[in-house]
Amino acid sequence: MDINDSVALVTGANRGLGRAMAQRLLERGARKVYATARRPETVDLPGVEVLALDVTDPAAVLAAAEAAPDVSLLINNAGIQTATDLVTGSLDNLRHELETNLFGGLAMIRAFAPALARNGGGAIVNVLSAMSWFGVDGGTSYHLTKGAAWAMTNGVRLELAEQGTLVTGVHLGLADTDMAAGWPVDKIAPSDLADAVLDGVEQGSAEVLADQWSRDVKARLPLAPEEFNAAMGRALAGLTAA
């Protein structure tokens, strides 16, 4: 699809990657950009149409779909990281992370799929992570939720193919956002990620590996689990040492 003259909706558009994607959509000629956030007053980007949206609230998701029936590009960006351990951590925290990172995105897809069909098929972007494929101490809940969201992305791609909807999964290592502020390593600029995402949509790509880190992790997936974990341990040690 062509970003120019598209009508897009971005979740979590008040900061970080979501704000960058909303901005680049405008700069690349989108006819309309719906910028959503749980607190709509925090959206400060001129030129967007602001909608209140909590992706974990079914009524709010339905209201957003009714308010934006002209959407041709849905970008599921909203997400959280609770740093919850799977074995000993809070199940309430884990459920909240799953509700946001997995079921929130799925709820948006279920609500907007009919509009996308009416509007010619369009496209869906799910912002995932290289951590869809690996976990680290303190990040196992995030690994679980992003891995599940990757599987969900692959599933809805099959289900929506008949109506002509492109479903693109986006993987990245770290972006220069508040969520990654504590990591003193190289990070992809949000504007560069936004361009990679929108380029991928225009090219009809089912997957966008936005940086070298995500490409390296994906390349290790054929390894046996022991070899994969050892390789990732070395890579992470090198990353933090740098």
Side-chain angles (χ1 to χ4, degrees):
M1 67 175 293
D2 192 351
I3 297 302
N4 186 56
D5 204 39
S6 64
V7 177
L9 184 145
V10 184
T11 65
N14 56 318
R15 60 179 183 163
L17 300 182
R19 188 184 188 281
M21 281 190 273
Q23 182 172 2
R24 292 300 286 139
L25 281 160
L26 291 172
E27 292 169 352
R28 291 175 62 152
R31 173 159 40 97
K32 185 188 299 184
V33 177
Y34 295 101
T36 78
R38 285 178 297 171
R39 295 172 52 211
E41 69 276 10
T42 62
V43 178
D44 63 354
L45 185 61
V48 299
E49 295 200 18
V50 180
L51 293 177
L53 175 62
D54 179 346
V55 298
T56 68
D57 180 349
V61 171
L62 178 60
E66 292 174 345
D70 50 349
V71 165
S72 58
L73 172 59
L74 170 64
I75 299 182
N76 281 319
N77 163 75
I80 61 170
Q81 184 172 6
T82 64
T84 300
D85 290 337
L86 297 179
V87 177
T88 60
S90 164
L91 283 177
D92 287 340
N93 285 351
L94 179 57
R95 289 189 179 100
H96 181 49
E97 195 165 343
L98 279 165
E99 286 293 336
T100 305
N101 295 353
L102 173 63
F103 292 111
L106 180 57
M108 291 294 292
I109 291 169
R110 290 167 66 99
F112 279 87
L116 292 172
R118 290 193 303 270
N119 298 329
I124 296 167
V125 171
N126 286 344
V127 178
L128 303 171
S129 170
M131 286 186 68
S132 303
W133 303 314
F134 76 97
V136 296
D137 286 340
T140 50
S141 61
Y142 193 70
H143 170 42
L144 170 66
T145 62
K146 289 299 186 177
W150 178 45
M152 178 269 285
T153 300
N154 295 335
V156 298
R157 182 181 300 117
L158 295 174
E159 294 183 16
L160 296 180
E162 187 173 349
Q163 74 173 41
T165 299
L166 171 69
V167 179
T168 302
V170 177
H171 298 271
L172 66 147
L174 289 173
D176 192 10
T177 65
D178 292 344
M179 185 180 288
W183 286 79
V185 298
D186 289 339
K187 306 165 192 174
I188 188 171
S191 58
D192 290 341
L193 177 75
D195 277 327
V197 170
L198 299 184
D199 288 347
V201 169
E202 290 196 320
Q203 293 161 10
S205 301
E207 183 172 77
V208 172
L209 303 178
D211 55 12
Q212 190 59 47
W213 180 256
S214 59
R215 290 188 285 273
D216 289 345
V217 176
K218 180 76 181 288
R220 297 186 184 109
L221 289 180
L223 296 175
E226 299 86 350
E227 295 173 313
F228 178 85
N229 290 337
M232 287 305 305
R234 291 191 296 270
L236 288 166
L239 185 68
T240 55

